Amino acid sequence: MAKIIGGLTTSHIPAVGNAIANKLFDEPYWKPFFDGYPPLRDWLDIHKPDVAINIYNDHGLGFFLNQMPTFAIGAAHEYINEDEGWGIPVLPPFPGDAPLSWHIIESMVEDEFDITSCQELPVDHGFTVPMQLFWPGLGDHPNFPRAIPISANTVQHPIPTLKRALDFGKALGRAIRSYPEDIKVVVLGTGGMSHQLDGERAGFINKEFDQMCMEKIVTDPESLTKISRRELVEKAGAQGTEFLMWMMMRGALSEKVKPLHTNYHIPISNTGAGTMLLECID
Amino acid sequence: MDITEFDHHTPIEGTTLFDGKMAMKGYQLNKMCFTFNGAAARADFLGDPEGYMTRFKLNEAQKQACRDKDVLAMIREGGNIYYLAKLAGVYKMNMQDIGAQQTGMTVDEFKEKLVRQGD
């Protein structure tokens, strides 16, 4: 049977894509951020997951406001990356795992999560930057996993509640664990942490709130479901609502997890950047 | 009932919640910005901004906000930041340039504000 071995979180800021393209790893601005990743890569090199479930939010590449799914799951053999308009180099396609995708989709709908299935889904920086951070070199990396994108709407309100996000993750976890193949799966929760790009409050970052979230997501994720969506916007910033992806990731993991690595740095671009490695406890 | 009469959200200072009301107001503006994912569309726009905006049926307030490159005005007219970022990309403006403009700071002051929040 498939096994979920752990969860990884990371911010997915577009500027990181440019920093990777330009190899800025040791520049003073970037070093405290990139230094957060080698321990995660070491863990991935040891455990070699076959599949990465990449939970992200599309930012206007895969979806437009004409049709905006609340939860969308990739169901393709591969996912292409495309020009997003501001200069991040376009990456080669990412191999998918369509049989596992359809198993998840069947199981999620059986579990009463009425998701949108996507046989074509161009993936943006929200998906690609974490893949680059965790598996440098992508297709050239010896342990590059197959990937399944799951996108949640944080573009347009109403966005899902934190409780719904956590519950989605729990249903996702049940779906993966019921897959009959003996594969190892990691779940990525990408995006966040606090940031606001728009309005007179642009540039808002909330270190205290981010650190509380990083603590509670390990020990007591249920307590975070009491945060309303309005409060999330207020405390995490308008785009800090991407923390929903972390909740979805967390729901898929075992009830107790071992936090093996944590890194937090302000600022990367306009954002509080958070990285975590949570290992599942059987 | 007209959707514009109905407000689901209590305000947060300096923040426009992009909800159904704003999504309807800004649909054409955002639709235009969505096309800027493509290089050919970006070149078309730069070649004839007025014609491009008219083709996408922007209203006069939306057009003026784009002419002025005024991000706060674009947001007032229903622009969503993720799509507006693509318009900013056309003009080679990044998130710090936009942040500085919206907060009335210089880019250096805005960057300093970001760094300070890590203290």
Side-chain angles (χ1 to χ4, degrees), chain A residues 88-99:
Chain A
I88 303 188
V90 175
L91 300 169
F94 292 79
D97 187 331

Side-chain angles (χ1 to χ4, degrees), chain A residues 86-148:
Chain A
W86 17 250
I88 303 188
V90 175
L91 300 169
F94 292 79
D97 187 331
L100 177 57
S101 285
W102 285 106
H103 173 83
I104 291 170
I105 289 163
E106 288 280 356
S107 177
M108 295 294 289
V109 176
E110 177 73 24
D111 230 341
E112 299 179 346
F113 279 85
D114 305 318
I115 51 76
T116 300
S117 60
C118 304
Q119 289 202 58
E120 286 188 54
L121 178 56
V123 287
D124 73 3
H125 65 272
F127 174 98
T128 62
V129 164
M131 297 303 282
Q132 289 180 289
L133 284 168
F134 295 139
W135 293 278
L138 298 176
D140 295 330
H141 191 288
N143 305 320
F144 191 51
R146 304 184 293 279
I148 296 176

Side-chain angles (χ1 to χ4, degrees), chain A residues 162-163 165-167 170 212-227 243 246-257 278:
Chain A
L162 283 99
K163 178 176 187 306
L166 188 66
D167 288 346
K170 289 177 185 173
M212 184 277 289
C213 288
M214 290 176 95
E215 182 197 326
K216 292 290 180 195
I217 203 156
V218 178
T219 57
D220 189 8
E222 300 290 342
S223 68
L224 296 170
T225 64
K226 295 184 178 61
I227 299 170
F243 183 67
W246 292 44
M247 292 293 278
M248 291 163 71
M249 176 280 305
R250 181 63 180 91
L253 307 185
S254 51
E255 200 175 318
K256 288 206 162 49
V257 292
L278 307 177

Side-chain angles (χ1 to χ4, degrees), chain A residues 1 93 98-99 130 145 157 172 174 176 213 250 270 273:
Chain A
M1 300 297 279
H157 290 264
L172 174 65
R174 287 192 290 275
I176 295 166
C213 288
R250 181 63 180 91
N270 290 17

Side-chain angles (χ1 to χ4, degrees), chain B residues 2-40:
Chain B
D2 191 294
I3 191 162
T4 55
E5 293 170 20
F6 197 85
D7 197 347
H8 293 269
H9 308 290
T10 44
I12 297 168
E13 199 187 339
T15 306
T16 302
L17 216 57
F18 188 81
D19 59 5
K21 195 165 65 176
M22 297 311 287
M24 292 188 79
K25 186 176 186 182
Y27 191 77
Q28 294 303 136
L29 170 60
N30 291 316
K31 188 172 176 176
M32 178 185 81
C33 292
F34 180 62
T35 67
F36 298 145
N37 280 321

Side-chain angles (χ1 to χ4, degrees), chain A residues 255-270:
Chain A
E255 200 175 318
K256 288 206 162 49
V257 292
K258 202 190 295 177
L260 295 182
H261 183 72
T262 296
N263 192 49
Y264 182 74
H265 175 67
I266 293 177
I268 291 299
S269 191
N270 290 17

Side-chain angles (χ1 to χ4, degrees), chain A residues 36-85:
Chain A
Y37 291 87
L40 279 67
R41 292 176 195 145
D42 292 346
W43 183 86
L44 288 167
D45 283 343
I46 292 167
H47 295 283
K48 301 182 179 52
D50 302 286
V51 175
I53 308 290
N54 186 327
I55 303 173
Y56 76 111
N57 55 294
D58 179 76
H59 308 73
L61 181 72
F63 302 111
F64 179 59
L65 302 172
N66 58 341
Q67 290 149 0
M68 180 56 68
T70 296
F71 293 112
I73 301 183
H77 293 294
E78 68 170 22
Y79 302 94
I80 56 163
N81 177 222
E82 287 177 358
D83 187 355
E84 294 185 53

